[in-house]
Amino acid sequence: FGPALPGGNAVIVNIKISDNIPPMIQIKINFLRNMIAFPTAGGEIDPKQISLSPSTLFANDWLLLSAGTKEKGWNTMTISWGHLGAIWGNQGGMPTAIVYVRPQRYTKHFMDTNEYFTLCSFSNQYKKDLAYLGSHSGKEEDKIAHTSLHPLFEKEGVVFEEASLILVCKKLYAAPIVEEGFIDKKIIQENYPDKDFHTMYIGEIVKAYVE
């Protein structure tokens, strides 16, 4: 799917959707519908062109961090800590996302055993869904069934039909946060009373989709 028509010209498009449509094509169809209705909207973009406030995206809006596949299993969790930026490579560095997962989280198994992970952001109407997904374990229940969200399965992993921003990330680096690395020891007292330090994952953003 190409960019929206210049000048906001009205068009009529008839799209016949089969039951076996690939997930990413379904996402692009949704974005195309948005582009028809709102010519300034986008679809797949160059990850280096992402323009947003990472602090607001993580801390205020929250995201779903997902890893795994439909065939071998997967899970998702809500996160409010993370970073977006650039590191390594040439021409300003690779666009990257950094996420943190505690050892007891069910999602960590899928983060460790899969090459990719995804980040999905949503409009505020889905905040209750994200709150539920962040407070219940996918190991104990089909927690997605308790939400209004619909997972879509792509070869790199799991994304969601309702997402307004999708980042597909290829793992580059993973390492645990260690106690000896803290300069400010109060952070340990306030965030790790049980010494359950996060593992940090750095992923190259290889695909980005915006609504």
Side-chain angles (χ1 to χ4, degrees):
F1 299 97
L5 293 177
N9 295 326
V11 295
I12 298 176
V13 175
N14 293 316
I15 303 174
K16 183 177 180 180
I17 302 176
S18 71
D19 293 335
N20 298 319
I21 190 168
M24 276 301 175
I25 299 301
Q26 176 64 63
I27 290 173
K28 290 183 179 181
I29 287 174
N30 291 339
F31 288 145
L32 179 60
R33 288 170 173 161
N34 288 332
M35 287 189 288
I36 293 170
F38 308 100
T40 58
E44 183 172 3
I45 64 170
D46 182 340
K48 290 188 175 182
Q49 301 304 314
I50 296 173
S51 178
L52 47 75
S53 167
S55 179
T56 298
L57 182 68
F58 282 95
N60 296 346
D61 299 341
W62 307 344
L63 297 101
L64 285 184
L65 167 64
S66 308
T69 64
K70 184 177 183 180
E71 295 75 22
K72 295 183 178 181
W74 66 283
N75 198 55
T76 189
M77 60 180 280
T78 302
I79 62 172
S80 59
W81 292 353
H83 300 86
L84 297 178
I87 190 173
W88 303 319
N90 299 314
Q91 299 179 345
M94 290 182 286
T96 51
I98 305 176
V99 296
Y100 305 87
V101 182
R102 292 185 190 265
Q104 64 267 40
R105 297 306 296 259
Y106 184 47
T107 302
K108 188 176 187 302
H109 165 73
F110 300 100
M111 290 290 292
D112 291 336
T113 57
N114 287 273
E115 185 178 4
Y116 293 87
F117 63 87
T118 65
L119 291 169
C120 291
S121 177
F122 302 82
S123 63
N124 194 56
Q125 72 183 92
Y126 298 105
K127 203 66 176 286
K128 288 185 178 180
D129 291 329
L130 270 63
Y132 187 91
L133 294 173
S135 58
H136 293 75
S137 174
K139 188 175 183 179
E140 300 174 355
E141 63 171 288
D142 179 7
K143 59 182 183 178
I144 293 295
H146 296 272
T147 73
S148 60
L149 302 179
H150 299 86
L152 300 171
F153 300 94
E154 178 62 11
K155 64 179 181 179
E156 293 95 348
V158 185
V159 296
F160 291 88
E161 182 178 346
E162 295 79 8
S164 56
L165 170 68
I166 296 171
L167 303 179
V168 179
C169 305
K170 182 178 181 180
K171 281 193 310 181
L172 299 175
Y173 181 85
I177 292 176
V178 295
E179 186 172 0
E180 304 79 52
F182 285 93
I183 307 302
D184 186 347
K185 302 301 181 182
K186 290 187 298 183
I187 295 177
I188 299 176
Q189 300 170 10
E190 296 171 354
N191 297 277
Y192 302 104
D194 298 324
K195 304 298 180 67
D196 55 340
F197 299 104
H198 290 86
T199 294
M200 175 181 67
Y201 300 88
I202 301 177
E204 178 188 5
I205 303 172
V206 295
K207 294 180 183 178
Y209 298 88
V210 295
E211 186 175 39

